[in-house]
Amino acid sequence: MKHTLPKTPWALDALEPNYKKSTLDFHYGKHHQAYVNKLNEALEGTGKESTPIEELLSNVKDIPEAKRQAVINNGGGHYNHTLFWFILGPNAGGNPQEELAKQIDKDFGSFDNFKTEFANAAMTQFGSGWAWLNWCPENNKLLVEKSLNQDNCLMISKRKPLMTIDVWEHAYYLEHQNLRPQWIETFFKLINWKAVSDNFEKAKAGKTILNLETAAV
Ligand code: MN
């Protein structure tokens, strides 16, 4: 059983004009596929070839040292991109609703404050990486964080990722060149808050956020 490139919940041209199909052809079709391929290669012979991705990353210390960094880089690449695709949507943007909206108000003061903090994390992640909205079950709080390369909170904590923005240049260079602030602003128009809310409900219930199937390929 091997990890496979998951289908996106929308057609590759459905996010236009905010995210172009021509960018996604590379970002999803080439970059994400390469992480999946290299993850499968790295897992060969470890006995963890079929371990679901979230479980794999949450227990990455169990991977033999010689393979561990490759699993962090490529397993993280696979997980982070999948979460990213799944929280984007056509006709999206706007504000979060219901329980998530209340929790954001509680932990950040207001949605605007949250947006500022999240955009700031995305802006100040030096070099390649991600900014995150994570759920911290230890104190029942939402947390904005950032991470380098393909790292995420599963690898280092009990926190659960709810939403993320890719700030590697490959995510935005074709459309926005070096203008990361423009990309962050565009990202807010692409967020499917219903999907983020679903992740929030799963995280609170202690459930897996991304159930990705492996396939006999
Ligand atoms: Mn990317």
Side-chain angles (χ1 to χ4, degrees):
M1 300 291 271
K2 290 192 167 188
H3 294 276
T4 57
L5 187 66
K7 264 180 81 78
T8 52
W10 24 260
L12 290 187
D13 61 0
L15 304 184
E16 301 220 14
N18 292 317
Y19 213 18
K20 288 185 191 152
K21 180 178 182 297
S22 52
T23 301
L24 283 164
D25 283 341
F26 280 95
H27 194 186
Y28 168 76
K30 306 284 185 200
H31 287 278
H32 189 168
Q33 181 71 62
Y35 289 118
V36 170
N37 296 347
K38 287 182 187 162
L39 173 63
N40 286 325
E41 267 171 45
L43 289 174
E44 266 172 37
T46 62
K48 310 249 182 215
E49 292 87 342
S50 303
T51 304
I53 187 68
E54 198 160 309
E55 189 185 328
L56 184 73
L57 298 180
S58 299
N59 298 289
V60 76
K61 60 180 185 325
D62 299 341
I63 303 289
E65 207 177 339
K67 304 262 194 166
R68 196 178 305 148
Q69 193 59 45
V71 172
I72 289 171
N73 293 346
N74 297 295
H78 176 34
Y79 187 90
N80 299 349
H81 283 95
T82 305
L83 182 71
F84 180 61
W85 311 135
F86 284 19
I87 57 99
L88 302 183
N91 311 311
N95 291 27
Q97 302 296 319
E98 299 172 356
E99 294 305 310
L100 179 60
K102 283 185 209 159
Q103 193 73 41
I104 285 175
D105 284 347
K106 188 169 171 234
D107 292 335
F108 300 98
S110 68
F111 180 57
D112 280 349
N113 285 354
F114 158 73
K115 266 176 89 170
T116 304
E117 193 173 323
F118 187 89
N120 189 48
M123 198 52 225
T124 58
Q125 171 53 48
F126 183 75
S128 295
W130 302 75
W132 301 87
L133 176 63
N134 293 329
W135 174 247
C136 185
E138 280 145 338
N139 56 7
N140 292 322
K141 267 188 147 176
L142 295 169
L143 203 60
V144 167
E145 297 186 282
K146 55 189 174 180
S147 68
L148 184 63
N149 297 326
Q150 299 295 355
D151 292 356
N152 66 41
C153 64
L154 296 171
M155 301 166 185
I156 54 160
S157 72
K158 301 270 181 223
R159 299 193 289 278
K160 293 284 184 185
L162 308 183
M163 170 178 122
T164 191
I165 178 174
D166 188 342
V167 293
W168 284 59
E169 282 189 344
H170 72 222
Y172 62 89
Y173 203 84
L174 292 175
E175 286 165 279
H176 302 287
Q177 290 75 50
N178 58 324
L179 301 175
R180 194 186 283 188
Q182 208 177 76
W183 164 232
I184 296 166
E185 210 178 298
T186 302
F187 169 76
F188 274 99
K189 296 178 193 165
L190 287 163
I191 301 170
N192 174 359
W193 284 107
K194 172 75 174 69
V196 183
S197 281
D198 289 348
N199 292 343
F200 179 49
E201 295 306 322
K202 285 185 205 165
K204 282 194 294 183
K207 290 183 185 162
T208 304
I209 305 291
L210 292 183
N211 284 304
L212 301 182
E213 287 175 12
T214 47
V217 289

